[in-house]
Amino acid sequence: MTLRPTRRALLRGALVLGFSLTGIDTRAQKPAPSSPRRTLGDLARNPRLDAWLRIAADGSVTLQVGKVELGQGALTALGQICADELDIDLARLAILSGDTRACPDQGTTTGSQSMSEGGTTVRHVAAEARALLLARAAERLGAPAARLRVEDGTITDPRSGKSVTYGRLVQEHALDREATQGASFKPIAARRYIGRPVHRRDLPAKITGEPIFLHDLRPDTLAHGRIVRAPSHGATLLGADEALVASLPGVLKVHRDGDFLGVIAAKEWQAIKAAAALARSARWRETAVLPIDPYAWLLAQPADETVIQHLERNAGPTPSRTLEATYRRPYQMHASIGPSCAVAAWDGDVMTVHTHSQSVFATAEAIAKVLGLPRAKVWGRHMQGAGCYGHNGADDAAADAALLARALPGRAIRVQWSREDEHTHEPYGSAMLARVRATLDPQGNVLDWTYDLWSTPHNTRPGGHPGNLLPARTLATPFPQPTPRTSRPPNFSADRNAIPLYAFPGQKITTHFVKAMPLRASAHRSLGAYANVFALESFMDELAHAADLDPLDFRLRHLKNERARAVLDKAAAAFGWKTFTRTPGRGRGIAFAQYKNVGSHCAVCLDVQLDPTTHTLRVLRAVTAVDAGEIVNPDGLTNQIEGGLIQSLSWTLKEAVRHDTQRILSRDWNSYPILTFSEVPPITVALLDRPGEPFLGAGEAAQGPTAAALANALFDATGLRARDLPLTPERLRALAASREKPAP
């Protein structure tokens, strides 16, 4: 492992672009709707073109991005955009991502923004670079830019036959300018890669077993670290037999700093055994008091109340019916298949941290504060880990490794969490409760909609704050955790998708934000949208049945958004909604959402069967339709929707964190089961492409609709209305029993 390449080394052999912006390619399409003239956030923070693109003398191109690959295929799609707008072959393009020394800081790879923000930025950068090169070539070849043609980085004047390459052009000038967002994009018809199912660039190495994951990293100076975790939240370490463990074979260091207790050994098994011995000898004072009923606890806590939508209905018909319901979502895990890992090395000057964090820059900044180092002295480098789609233990593992590495300079310390570490100490998705009330007129139209939600925080990512790193809070001089906050309402955090898209004349939506966290909570895929869409779309189903209307027709009646209507129609047609034949125990369900109310539109139809003996709910088939704006890679988009749907089925059917009044009881896959391969249904994904429209991103579009469609299908099959998640056999059996129980 090369721990400290200099910036000069990184740039060696790669001259950069630097021409004046004249002679813009007149063949290019006029600015498309996807070229907003507002300054993009990524470019405002990182305006220089050479922060994004490097072109070497041999014509090879390197795209540098702060967004990282989590298994979602983001780098493949970003490469397609870059290659198309720059007019090069994909084989000529390399991508460097998530390196805090070399790449622009694009914030956290989250919120389905890799395409909507990251992809749009790359499009502007590549289009402007191409325009600059064409302008320079026009001068060199003595021909108007409009006459020139570009093929794979070679610019040719068809009249004279003269040509020049990007690699030759960039040798003459250094890049010394900022991006202007002034270049036009290529015409839709001229695009070679955007809109096509280009093969994923990350998959071949994964399929052939090459060591590309962080967990496979084995530097020459490697040693193995393990952390002894507190048995419960806030426990205080009274003592441990450090001397005994330090004498065990292979142990290089036992390190304690306050309640932070770890061990380093030459070999991994030695580290595991030493950590186990250290854990057996450790004595803790436990003080945690966990609420057995998280929903009653939520309602009883002080909360910040924010009305995020209020539309008064001043006139119209008198309501004929009023319905109310309460929906609950439990704490749920990221449950990454691979436990978190990190490798860190301290050379006395720079701390190098290899991490699979989604927020490499902010995590490196937080670690620098923990260590008391300038920000530039912590070099964060992303490597792929097990996909998590949220804030799992990756950032904490990076801090663990950095703390141990500082205790043993000159060695690269690899910290690998155990399954139990991950299950008991990762930040969970917040428990939530939602109460919905609606009035109907005699024709079944919704008149008034009242929605109240209660939730703990959904974002305690590092964000540059050391107190958001688990180990930093346990040091002898601890870093306190910042007071959690909900930000950028109405669609960012707990209240994401709480506002309905439906055209209800009266609406009042209120968020009750609880800052206290008895269980550690943070960003879980789709944040509050999962629970809010489950509640909203389940209640729409209840209203439709109360009005004796078809659930699809009921939704369409209240929707004015044409793109929303289109995905519902598309999903219903692909599913065969109108021709579905219901049989005993078998039913259909539908649900819809526009993610964050500004992102992708997604509709889900499910066909389910309930086993009357075991009360196991099985999904027989799933059909979705999605409108994610202009599609960059249809295969990648399909993969994202499929993955989101499967994960949501797992959450909705099985997942809930179990605990007693002090400790987490979900410590392995037996105590926290997830969906298995044999339970994954056939999935059809229908895509609606919108060439020329903005990229919307789709990583979190399917989770909410899937949960509601499942509960709605259960009702269609059995008449059982499930409002508490997950829909386990135990819960459905109890629900059926309560229905059969005679009224007192």
Side-chain angles (χ1 to χ4, degrees):
M1 177 176 66
T2 303
L3 294 177
R4 296 187 57 197
T6 63
R7 184 171 179 82
R8 179 182 297 277
L10 286 169
L11 297 175
R12 186 177 298 134
L15 303 179
V16 292
L17 311 173
F19 307 113
S20 62
L21 184 59
T22 58
I24 298 293
D25 177 15
T26 54
R27 290 188 307 121
Q29 189 185 37
K30 294 295 182 184
S34 55
S35 56
R37 288 308 174 200
R38 67 179 174 84
T39 300
L40 295 167
D42 286 346
L43 286 179
R45 292 187 296 272
N46 312 279
R48 298 187 65 81
L49 284 175
D50 63 347
W52 299 89
L53 275 178
R54 293 187 289 123
I55 299 180
D58 65 0
S60 60
V61 179
T62 301
L63 171 67
Q64 302 177 149
V65 291
K67 297 296 184 187
V68 298
E69 182 63 60
L70 308 171
Q72 80 279 42
L75 297 190
T76 299
L78 293 177
Q80 290 177 249
I81 296 168
C82 181
D84 247 345
E85 294 295 346
L86 196 56
D87 245 337
I88 60 170
D89 193 285
L90 265 176
R92 194 178 290 281
L93 181 68
I95 301 179
L96 179 64
S97 74
D99 187 311
T100 60
R101 284 189 166 182
C103 299
D105 182 357
Q106 293 183 272
T108 304
T109 303
T110 186
S112 299
Q113 299 177 111
S114 294
M115 288 299 103
S116 59
E117 294 185 1
T120 304
T121 298
V122 168
R123 173 172 261 182
H124 278 281
V125 167
E128 185 159 352
R130 180 178 182 275
L132 291 167
L133 290 161
L134 270 172
R136 183 59 187 159
E139 295 176 8
R140 170 77 77 89
L141 301 177
R147 197 171 75 202
L148 302 180
R149 299 291 179 265
V150 186
E151 183 175 355
D152 191 18
T154 298
I155 303 173
T156 302
D157 176 7
R159 183 172 300 176
S160 68
K162 296 178 180 177
S163 64
V164 63
T165 66
Y166 286 174
R168 288 289 302 274
L169 290 169
V170 297
Q171 292 183 68
E172 300 174 3
H173 300 272
L175 181 61
D176 58 356
R177 62 172 299 132
E178 297 184 349
T180 66
Q181 296 183 220
S184 298
F185 303 147
K186 286 180 67 175
I188 294 172
R191 293 171 191 165
R192 182 180 173 191
Y193 297 113
I194 295 175
R196 300 182 185 280
V198 170
H199 292 170
R200 289 265 296 273
R201 48 196 310 132
D202 59 312
L203 288 187
K206 292 175 180 175
I207 293 170
T208 57
E210 295 179 31
I212 65 165
F213 289 105
L214 171 57
H215 301 65
D216 301 321
L217 185 63
R218 296 291 189 275
D220 293 339
T221 59
L222 183 69
H224 295 272
R226 289 292 188 276
I227 308 301
V228 176
R229 297 288 176 200
S232 60
H233 177 69
T236 301
L237 180 61
L238 300 176
D241 196 340
E242 299 173 44
L244 171 66
V245 175
S247 67
L248 295 177
V251 172
L252 303 174
K253 183 88 175 180
V254 174
H255 178 66
R256 178 181 177 183
D257 183 347
D259 297 328
F260 180 78
L261 184 62
V263 61
I264 305 170
K267 297 181 179 178
E268 185 164 22
W269 185 238
Q270 292 170 335
I272 292 171
K273 290 197 296 183
L278 202 54
R280 285 193 298 272
S281 73
R283 292 171 287 109
W284 300 86
R285 178 188 297 118
E286 297 185 64
T287 58
V289 179
L290 304 181
I292 293 300
D293 183 345
Y295 311 112
W297 179 89
L298 268 175
L299 295 172
Q301 295 307 300
D304 292 344
E305 294 189 5
T306 306
V307 177
I308 60 174
Q309 174 96 318
H310 195 186
L311 303 176
E312 289 282 1
R313 185 176 67 88
N314 296 320
T318 300
S320 61
R321 298 188 64 181
T322 299
L323 280 78
E324 296 183 36
T326 300
Y327 301 87
R328 300 173 183 85
R329 172 253 173 106
Y331 288 102
Q332 293 172 319
M333 294 183 187
H334 298 87
S336 301
I337 297 297
S340 295
C341 182
V343 179
W346 170 242
D347 66 1
D349 181 41
V350 172
M351 179 68 74
T352 302
V353 181
H354 286 80
T355 174
H356 55 100
S357 166
Q358 293 178 231
S359 58
V360 182
F361 290 84
T363 297
E365 180 183 358
I367 290 173
K369 292 176 180 174
V370 173
L371 301 177
L373 295 173
R375 181 175 179 175
K377 293 298 183 181
V378 174
W379 181 13
R381 307 184 71 181
H382 183 266
M383 288 186 70
Q384 294 186 59
C388 67
Y389 295 100
H391 179 193
N392 65 353
D395 307 277
D396 301 320
D400 289 339
L403 286 165
L404 291 186
R406 186 174 62 174
L408 192 63
R411 300 294 296 265
I413 309 300
R414 177 181 179 274
V415 171
Q416 167 81 64
W417 280 24
S418 67
R419 170 53 49 202
E420 185 172 311
D421 289 340
E422 193 79 34
H423 270 39
T424 57
H425 287 83
E426 66 143 288
Y428 304 133
S430 286
M432 293 177 65
L433 182 146
R435 286 178 176 163
V436 203
R437 182 176 183 270
T439 62
L440 299 175
D441 70 11
Q443 289 72 45
N445 298 306
V446 177
L447 299 176
D448 305 288
W449 178 276
T450 304
Y451 187 90
D452 286 82
L453 72 94
W454 285 260
S455 176
T456 57
H458 287 258
N459 186 6
T460 59
R461 288 183 184 274
H465 301 291
N468 280 332
L469 294 169
L470 183 63
R473 299 204 294 268
T474 67
L475 301 177
T477 303
F479 291 87
Q481 184 171 29
T483 301
R485 60 188 177 85
T486 185
S487 56
R488 289 189 291 168
N491 293 317
F492 181 74
S493 189
D495 43 23
R496 182 171 289 181
N497 277 102
I499 298 175
L501 280 189
Y502 300 104
F504 306 143
Q507 297 184 26
K508 186 176 182 180
I509 319 298
T510 305
T511 301
H512 305 260
F513 179 68
V514 177
K515 295 177 182 176
M517 289 184 290
L519 278 73
R520 189 184 184 202
S522 191
H524 196 251
R525 195 176 184 183
S526 80
L527 305 188
Y530 170 68
N532 288 322
V533 175
F534 166 66
L536 195 158
E537 286 293 296
S538 291
F539 197 56
M540 283 295 287
D541 202 70
E542 296 198 45
L543 294 174
H545 286 283
D548 197 23
L549 293 170
D550 178 271
L552 171 63
D553 295 338
F554 185 76
R555 285 171 171 78
L556 294 173
R557 173 192 284 200
H558 290 89
L559 270 177
K560 305 300 182 189
N561 183 314
E562 290 302 322
R563 291 174 70 169
R565 295 173 62 87
V567 295
L568 274 166
D569 285 335
K570 186 85 170 181
F575 180 80
W577 183 264
K578 297 295 184 183
T579 58
F580 182 85
T581 301
R582 191 178 296 104
T583 56
R586 183 174 179 178
R588 63 180 183 177
I590 191 169
F592 152 83
Q594 182 184 16
Y595 186 56
K596 295 191 279 191
N597 288 18
V598 296
S600 293
H601 300 78
C602 182
V604 176
C605 296
L606 298 180
D607 179 354
V608 306
Q609 178 85 49
L610 182 73
D611 186 311
T613 303
T614 65
H615 290 86
T616 300
L617 184 61
R618 185 172 184 83
V619 181
L620 303 178
R621 63 188 177 105
V623 175
T624 76
V626 61
D627 172 357
E630 178 167 18
I631 297 173
V632 178
N633 188 318
D635 186 52
L637 175 57
T638 299
N639 295 161
Q640 283 290 82
I641 297 300
E642 289 173 337
L645 185 146
I646 293 168
Q647 188 173 36
S648 184
L649 288 181
S650 183
W651 294 345
T652 309
L653 286 169
K654 301 196 174 194
E655 298 188 35
V657 175
R658 295 173 54 231
H659 59 83
D660 58 19
T661 57
Q662 195 165 60
R663 294 185 177 185
I664 301 299
L665 303 179
S666 298
R667 311 178 79 84
D668 52 32
W669 296 121
N670 286 327
S671 52
Y672 191 85
I674 61 174
L675 204 70
T676 60
F677 283 110
S678 64
E679 296 169 297
V680 174
I683 302 171
T684 300
V685 180
L687 305 179
L688 288 84
D689 194 8
R690 305 284 186 183
E693 291 292 329
F695 311 133
L696 296 179
E700 298 169 315
Q703 283 77 9
T706 298
L710 188 58
N712 297 340
L714 171 69
F715 180 80
D716 189 60
T718 65
L720 298 174
R721 179 60 68 184
R723 303 189 181 97
D724 288 6
L725 298 176
L727 310 183
T728 59
E730 295 77 16
R731 174 156 286 142
L732 299 187
R733 182 179 294 109
L735 199 59
S738 66
R739 183 179 61 177
E740 295 165 1
K741 186 176 180 181

